[in-house]
Amino acid sequence: MSNITIDRKTCSDDEDLKYVLLCQGGDTEAFAVLVERHQKKMLNIALRMVGNYEDACDVTQEAFVAAYKAIRKFKGEAKFSTWLYRIVINHSKNRLKKLRGFAASEDILSDDSGEGGKKYTGNHIQADDHPGLLLEKRERDEQVQKCITSLDDDYREVLVLRDIEGFSYEEIREMLKIPDGTVKSRLSRARNALKDCLAKIMGDL
Amino acid sequence: MRKCKNFKNSLPLYLDDLLSPGEKRSLEEHLQTCLKCKKDLIQLNKTRVLTSNLEEVKPPPWFQQRIMSRVREEAGKKSDEPKWFYPLRIKVPLQITATVVIAVLAVYIYRAGEDRIKDVVPAAQVPSVEIKKEQVSEQRNEAARPDHYPENVRAMKQKTMPYENAGGRMTGEARDANKVLSEAKTDRLEAEAKKSVESNDAFKERKKEVYAPAPAAKAGASSLSQSAALSGNVLRMKVARVNPAAEDIKTMLTKYSAQNISEEASPDRFILRAWLPDRNMEDFIKQLRTVGRVEEVRGVTGSSHGERILVTVEIVGE
């Protein structure tokens, strides 16, 4: 008994829907497929949002479990992935609130330790062929992440979704439930802020 | 320049070609002359490159497994969820209700059993006196054990007083009821756990049954032995003068570590009841013989194991 009205969707969405339907029907193991298909994306969104790998792993797991618990609420009005990523974004923001509760807010430009005292560890970057370059890249990535972490939540999320994860404006609107104009103005401010931050800590870009 | 401020928010969008044609033209014009904005644009471009080149991270190898084990846990929880049901149209979890019912019943049955032992000996005359004495002894016992029972049971006890005094039931019924009680106690508790909690009225009905008020049975001079068949030893004594003898025996009971001593006086007899340690029973009876003639000794054997036995002494004048 499906509560989804199936629209014309892309191939991959149809694939997702198949397992979502199974899950809604009580097949728990069908969820494993959905996890596998989306875990990398979910983790990366979480990572860019919370700023460190450990918390990102926690958040992503929480988000998946929450998605499972709520799977019957998915009605197929949007893509399953959009629905799913929205959950991880919300959980990321909640985690940020918690983290900020523990640590005094740190000015990224004066303090090296980053969000909540946890460092973004670059150990999970996909291997490059050139170790020297890899190290340099890792360091650079860390600095970029620090600056991203220093942005306001609202700016950060549009920047992560658009400039890092590459979602379309339509998808971003769906995920964040904000109008198009808001997406654009926030993105604009986010990019400016990021540019200013990077220019300060990296010198001339 | 003044104009730079206007273009600050347009610059980032210029890269994505998100500006309207008018805005775009205006910006490009400005860029031709403004070095600062040109520089900003270049930096925005580089930032963009940096962000889009951020490496994607991989999940740890155990990631999917861990998620699925939590998911399976959730799936398990869903099926185990305790059912709700609605006693008194209040949503209460089954387990809690069952526990409460069992606890309350267990305490109540225990109390009821105990109380029956203090039943007034049915005497033909003066029911009111007996009732009073009964109440007095009840209250005394209440006072003696203030912390013994939870609030709700004490409250129940208050409620059952009217039933006690209402009378009309034969002690024979009491006997049966008590038998049922002691034998079927566990069965009853199990049955109770399965049933839903009754409404207040139904609950009172049940208590009436269970309690089976015997004390007010006044029909004729039903002998002590009937109510005594409930449990314990019954001793009938003939003495010269009842009241001094009663005093002596009371003293003796205390001497032999009796507890919950209760007494009932009527014009022609005096009844003392107490819980006496089993080991003292023999000595106590010996001592009784010094006070008067011990006529009957009736007892239920096999109830001792280092416990207390209810002893009832009926003192009658010569």
Side-chain angles (χ1 to χ4, degrees), chain A residues 29 32 39 43-44 47-48 53 61 64 68-69 125-126 137 141 163 169 188 191-192 194-195 205, chain B residues 8-9 12 16 18 40 46 48 51 53-60 63-64 66-67 72 75:
Chain A
E29 296 306 312
Q39 61 179 348
L43 181 62
N44 278 275
L47 175 64
R48 299 301 163 199
Y53 192 78
Q61 287 176 65
F64 269 117
Y68 174 76
K69 281 160 89 167
I125 292 174
Q126 319 224 44
K137 185 175 195 321
D141 279 3
D163 287 356
Y169 287 100
S188 164
R191 285 172 177 171
N192 273 330
L194 185 63
K195 172 207 76 172
L205 291 174
Chain B
K8 187 173 162 73
N9 290 327
D16 286 5
L18 289 170
D40 281 349
K46 285 188 181 169
R48 193 59 192 283
T51 51
N53 284 344
L54 281 171
E55 286 285 354
E56 252 197 320
V57 302
K58 282 193 294 187
F63 205 59
Q64 187 194 18
R66 188 176 289 187
I67 291 171
R72 287 182 200 113

Side-chain angles (χ1 to χ4, degrees), chain B residues 163-204:
Chain B
Y163 299 120
E164 247 173 67
N165 305 327
R169 299 257 193 137
M170 296 301 292
T171 51
E173 284 181 23
R175 202 189 324 145
D176 292 339
N178 189 55
K179 217 195 285 181
V180 167
L181 261 186
S182 49
E183 284 170 4
K185 189 167 175 181
T186 30
D187 293 344
R188 184 186 288 268
L189 288 179
E190 277 173 358
E192 283 310 314
K194 288 184 189 134
K195 285 194 263 178
S196 57
V197 174
E198 314 98 324
S199 66
N200 267 338
D201 294 334
F203 200 70
K204 279 186 187 164

Side-chain angles (χ1 to χ4, degrees), chain A residues 28-29 31-33 35-36 39-41 43-44 47-48 53 57-58 60-62 64-65 68-69 72 120 124-126 128 137 140-141 144-145 148 159 162-165 169 184 187-189 191-192 194-196 198-199 202 204-205, chain B residues 5 7-19 36-37 39-78:
Chain A
T28 304
E29 296 306 312
F31 196 73
V33 177
V35 171
E36 202 186 319
Q39 61 179 348
K40 193 170 180 186
K41 198 73 167 172
L43 181 62
N44 278 275
L47 175 64
R48 299 301 163 199
Y53 192 78
C57 281
D58 276 353
T60 308
Q61 287 176 65
E62 274 174 29
F64 269 117
V65 175
Y68 174 76
K69 281 160 89 167
R72 289 202 171 85
Y120 160 61
H124 314 278
I125 292 174
Q126 319 224 44
D128 211 343
K137 185 175 195 321
R140 201 162 55 231
D141 279 3
V144 174
Q145 179 59 50
I148 293 171
L159 187 105
R162 176 71 195 145
D163 287 356
I164 302 175
E165 300 301 329
Y169 287 100
K184 292 196 174 123
L187 186 62
S188 164
R189 283 176 220 276
R191 285 172 177 171
N192 273 330
L194 185 63
K195 172 207 76 172
D196 292 340
L198 282 172
M202 284 173 74
D204 232 0
L205 291 174
Chain B
K5 198 175 166 199
F7 293 112
K8 187 173 162 73
N9 290 327
S10 310
L11 278 173
L13 303 177
Y14 178 68
L15 299 173
D16 286 5
D17 207 13
L18 289 170
L19 296 174
K36 181 185 177 303
C37 287
K39 190 181 175 191
D40 281 349
L41 189 63
I42 293 169
Q43 285 192 329
L44 279 167
N45 212 8
K46 285 188 181 169
T47 306
R48 193 59 192 283
V49 170
L50 284 169
T51 51
S52 57
N53 284 344
L54 281 171
E55 286 285 354
E56 252 197 320
V57 302
K58 282 193 294 187
W62 39 259
F63 205 59
Q64 187 194 18
Q65 285 167 18
R66 188 176 289 187
I67 291 171
M68 281 314 292
S69 71
R70 284 176 67 177
V71 159
R72 287 182 200 113
E73 240 181 84
E74 283 301 323
K77 269 189 220 169
K78 273 181 191 166

